[in-house]
Amino acid sequence: MCGIAGIFHTQGMKPVDPARLRAMGDVIAHRGPDGDGVWTAPGVGLGHRRLSIIDLAGSPQPMASADGAAMLVFNGEIYNYQELRRELAALGAVFRTDGDSEVILAAWQHWGVDCLPRFNGMFAFALYDLRARTLLLARDRLGVKPLHMATLADGSVIFGSELKQLLAHPMLRRGLDPLAVEDYLAWGFVPDTRSILAGVEKLPAGRYRLLRHDAPPPPPVQWWDVSFAERDSASQKDLEAHLLHRLRKAVTSRMAADVPLGAFLSGGVDSSTVVALMAEASRDPVKTCAIGFDVAALDETSWAGAVAQRFATQHHARTVSADDFALVDRLVAMFDEPFADASALPTFRVCELARQHVTVALSGDGADEAFAGYRRQVFHHREEQARALLPVGLRRPVFGALGRLYPKADWAPRPLRAKATFQSLAEDGEVGYACALAVTAPEARAALYSPDFARLRGDYRAETPLIDLMRQAPARSGLDRAQYADLKFTLPGDILTKVDRASMAVSLEAREPLLDHRLIEFAARLPEPMRVHGATGKWLMKQTMRRYLPDDVLFRPKMGFVTPIAAWLRGPLAGPARAIATGSALSRAGWFDSARIAALAESHIAGRADHSRVLWQLLMLDRSLARLDPALGS
């Protein structure tokens, strides 16, 4: 696992200053503490920071191809590189190292951009072809590894694994994008379709760009997508067998490493599945790590401990204070962009713990998106069944009226929030799912904005790209479209961003076996009853894993990393919550109604209402703006 950087001129072949590349690399030393390198040629420069995982001494980067005609900087892992190496050697390729980086170079020289579908892995890389004078920028299928880029005023394209690398370049303009603020308030993160800084882009998952010195940067080209348009007709018994085979392959392929390897273990279905299959494949005890809280209602360590005991792992657990708010400023620096997923705090703590024992940790991320494990997906599936029974001409007036009349109950579990359900049923499925997914509803966001910001936002609404994505999805049903949206929108923007930044902040490589693309493609073909069965999501996966895990692990209510944000904002963070309204970067930006924010803060602190989610979002946005724009931070 590593970090990459680069500068490429699209208006001629001006020299690149190696010092700028080094500066862009130095700010991500945490991603690669084991080595660094810079390479320049007319019109192009590549930089690299290395965290050694495979071929520890033999694969320094930037790396040249065997014939010196191509140069590579690469962040990630290619899990099938040994198979590709044998295939390429049979075609005449010569290899000098034992790692996967050189395989990427040889694959490019033999197959061009058609090499991308051959890779099974997580990656973001830049490959410069000295003969063709082109630069290939590519990102893996699901977006496990990040890649940011910007075009500067002189026509040069700068890129890097993290936004802070682009900020290290003196020519990058720091103008904030108000539409990204709208996105952030809706989702709690800035999705890959946008950046908090105007002019900065994120290469979308499953896409590449091929840059030339004599042309402006072309739009990204999609090289992979997942289709929900087909259905597998096999029996449940056969589907279970096929799934188990794919799960085993996905896990074992990610256990190759020349450094200590382990796993995160929460005691939930997904991490327990990964640990069970690791234990089955390993001759030595698996190293597992879990984080607990000193508040019983938030603590899952007993479940993790039971699974660890079941598979005789070398288990490490740590209890941290639920009042871990001291991490806030570190998180802001870690993510660069505003990021309000509060589970980032315990995620960082479990990465810290894991790094004391291993250099690579396998996680259980991805199964909820692939197999319909989120409660919101199950609710959406049932709502779609209700929509199918009633014509839209009846649904809108009936459920719309009920939604307006029914009292709000945001404090209640989703099944008991009838107002939200009625409002959702009055809309099309795509609109209903986008509203269910939003952290802050459109009307709540609008109430926060100042008149000036409302004019800047114009007609744009954060839900629109998600609704369009769902409507254009290669899918048959509403459940398909919801899962497609989670895989393509929420997963890379939220879940994978969280794990990448938290793990790399402590120089830990996190691998996601449940995001193996063959597993994702298999899951997308499953009949709906194999995904959602009654009120149970992830049905086939849970049935398949009954041979390994007890029912109380497989079917207990989903918990996840929970953080007591509401209590913090009434206690130690009450002062910062009040300060958002006045004397903050947010107030200096002039985008928000200060009186409205002050009223929300006082109502929450007094316990009259729970505004913790929006206050946490505003607090994290305020801290991020102060770092991104020095004028606002003063």
Side-chain angles (χ1 to χ4, degrees):
M1 194 62 60
C2 310
I4 65 174
I7 301 172
F8 182 85
H9 289 287
T10 62
Q11 297 176 7
M13 302 182 70
K14 294 182 290 186
V16 171
D17 183 358
R20 285 191 175 170
L21 284 169
R22 291 192 187 94
M24 293 170 70
D26 288 346
V27 295
I28 57 157
H30 52 277
R31 295 187 77 96
D34 297 331
D36 64 279
V38 166
W39 172 85
T40 63
V44 62
L46 302 176
H48 191 261
R49 299 287 313 206
R50 188 181 186 206
L51 175 63
S52 300
I53 302 295
I54 293 174
D55 192 20
L56 302 185
S59 295
Q61 294 185 44
M63 177 179 284
S65 60
D67 60 3
M71 291 293 298
L72 172 77
V73 286
F74 162 49
N75 170 28
E77 303 287 350
I78 305 299
Y79 301 118
N80 64 333
Y81 80 96
Q82 295 281 20
E83 303 161 33
L84 292 173
R85 179 189 176 100
R86 290 189 291 269
E87 183 178 356
L88 288 162
L91 294 172
V94 175
F95 295 96
R96 301 154 298 160
T97 69
D98 295 323
D100 51 358
S101 301
E102 199 175 12
V103 171
I104 296 175
L105 286 159
W108 161 260
Q109 292 187 311
H110 279 79
W111 299 311
V113 293
D114 290 336
C115 68
L116 295 172
R118 295 173 181 265
F119 297 146
N120 178 12
M122 56 178 185
F123 55 83
F125 66 77
L127 191 156
Y128 185 70
D129 190 309
L130 282 82
R131 294 193 184 104
R133 294 182 176 178
T134 60
L135 179 73
L136 174 67
L137 300 174
R139 193 173 178 204
D140 64 64
R141 292 170 177 84
L142 279 307
V144 179
K145 293 292 103 189
L147 189 60
H148 299 74
M149 64 189 71
T151 302
L152 305 180
D154 66 352
S156 60
V157 174
I158 60 174
F159 58 89
S161 298
E162 298 186 21
L163 178 58
K164 57 176 58 71
Q165 296 174 267
L166 278 58
L167 293 168
H169 195 290
M171 289 182 64
L172 180 74
R173 295 175 180 171
R174 295 194 176 206
L176 299 166
D177 184 350
L179 300 190
V181 174
E182 158 76 1
D183 284 342
Y184 166 73
L185 282 181
W187 312 120
F189 60 91
V190 180
D192 280 5
T193 52
R194 205 173 297 282
S195 168
I196 193 64
L197 294 183
V200 173
E201 301 174 69
K202 302 163 191 170
L203 182 63
R207 284 173 169 80
Y208 72 83
R209 297 180 88 166
L210 193 61
L211 308 184
R212 302 180 184 278
H213 290 293
D214 57 355
V221 176
Q222 181 170 281
W223 64 269
W224 181 84
D225 198 7
V226 60
S227 174
F228 285 81
E230 305 295 330
R231 292 288 187 264
D232 200 317
S233 60
S235 67
Q236 178 173 329
K237 182 179 179 181
D238 286 344
L239 289 174
E240 287 182 20
H242 294 159
L243 174 56
L244 183 58
H245 172 71
R246 285 168 172 78
L247 286 169
R248 284 171 171 158
K249 292 264 293 184
V251 170
T252 56
S253 68
R254 285 155 178 78
M255 292 175 66
D258 295 332
V259 292
L261 175 141
F264 302 131
L265 179 58
S266 69
V269 176
D270 306 333
S271 65
S272 299
T273 293
V274 171
V275 168
L277 297 177
M278 289 177 73
E280 179 183 67
S282 178
R283 290 175 295 183
D284 301 315
V286 177
K287 296 180 175 68
T288 55
C289 297
I291 284 290
F293 294 95
D294 60 2
V295 176
L298 307 178
D299 189 55
E300 287 189 290
T301 49
S302 62
W303 293 100
V307 174
Q309 185 175 16
R310 185 181 186 91
F311 297 104
T313 73
Q314 290 183 7
H315 190 55
H316 305 278
R318 175 185 296 166
T319 298
V320 298
S321 170
D323 291 332
D324 206 9
F325 55 86
L327 268 182
V328 169
D329 287 330
R330 186 165 183 183
L331 288 179
V332 170
M334 196 183 302
F335 285 91
D336 297 323
E337 293 188 299
F339 191 80
D341 184 340
S343 66
L345 288 92
T347 299
F348 174 75
R349 289 303 190 202
V350 78
C351 289
E352 263 190 331
L353 173 63
R355 190 61 179 92
Q356 296 175 12
H357 306 281
V358 299
T359 310
V360 177
L362 273 60
S363 84
D365 294 313
D368 288 320
E369 289 80 3
F371 293 95
Y374 288 122
R375 284 188 289 260
R376 65 175 181 260
Q377 295 166 337
V378 177
F379 295 147
H380 181 69
H381 176 59
R382 296 166 77 175
E383 287 177 356
E384 285 288 79
Q385 291 173 329
R387 288 187 184 95
L389 297 174
L390 295 172
V392 66
L394 180 61
R395 280 193 291 106
R396 283 184 175 161
V398 172
F399 290 116
L402 288 170
R404 288 189 295 273
L405 294 171
Y406 206 88
K408 285 176 66 66
D410 290 342
W411 49 269
R414 175 69 188 275
L416 301 180
R417 280 184 270 151
K419 184 180 185 73
T421 300
F422 290 147
Q423 290 173 332
S424 181
L425 287 172
E427 303 289 350
D428 293 336
E430 295 83 7
V431 175
Y433 194 70
C435 291
L437 196 60
V439 177
T440 307
E443 60 274 13
R445 301 196 300 271
L448 292 171
Y449 297 145
S450 68
D452 287 343
F453 186 84
R455 284 190 290 272
L456 287 173
R457 183 184 65 153
D459 294 332
Y460 177 74
R461 298 297 179 271
E463 290 81 3
T464 302
L466 182 68
I467 292 167
D468 292 343
L469 180 69
M470 293 180 70
R471 288 176 175 166
Q472 297 162 13
R476 287 188 177 191
S477 71
L479 178 61
D480 294 344
R481 292 182 181 89
Q483 288 185 249
Y484 186 84
D486 282 319
L487 283 166
K488 305 286 283 191
F489 187 87
T490 312
L491 180 72
D494 182 4
I495 308 301
L496 295 179
T497 295
K498 173 182 65 179
V499 175
D500 175 79
R501 303 304 190 278
S503 60
M504 293 311 299
V506 294
S507 305
L508 175 77
E509 174 170 301
R511 297 178 179 178
E512 290 81 10
L514 302 184
L515 286 177
D516 187 295
H517 72 277
R518 298 165 299 186
L519 192 59
I520 298 294
E521 291 165 351
F522 167 81
R525 295 191 300 271
L526 289 175
E528 288 186 0
M530 293 294 101
R531 289 177 267 157
V532 175
H533 192 85
T536 302
K538 249 175 344 197
W539 175 258
L540 184 71
M541 182 175 175
K542 291 176 179 178
Q543 296 303 311
T544 301
M545 292 307 297
R546 291 180 94 165
R547 68 200 72 195
Y548 293 95
L549 298 168
D551 282 1
D552 57 356
V553 168
L554 291 169
F555 296 99
R556 73 183 177 93
K558 185 177 179 62
M559 187 173 178
F561 275 152
V562 181
T563 308
I565 298 296
W568 292 357
L569 291 166
R570 291 190 178 107
L573 292 182
R578 286 191 173 102
I580 298 171
T582 57
S584 67
L586 206 61
S587 64
R588 283 187 284 273
W591 292 344
F592 293 90
D593 183 334
S594 296
R596 172 66 177 163
I597 294 175
L600 289 176
E602 292 305 327
S603 177
H604 179 84
I605 293 166
R608 293 191 298 270
D610 185 352
H611 298 301
S612 57
R613 288 187 298 181
V614 69
L615 289 173
W616 179 254
Q617 284 182 280
L618 293 170
L619 177 64
M620 297 303 285
L621 177 60
D622 173 57
R623 301 289 176 92
S624 293
L625 294 183
R627 289 181 61 87
L628 291 168
D629 190 333
L632 295 177
S634 60

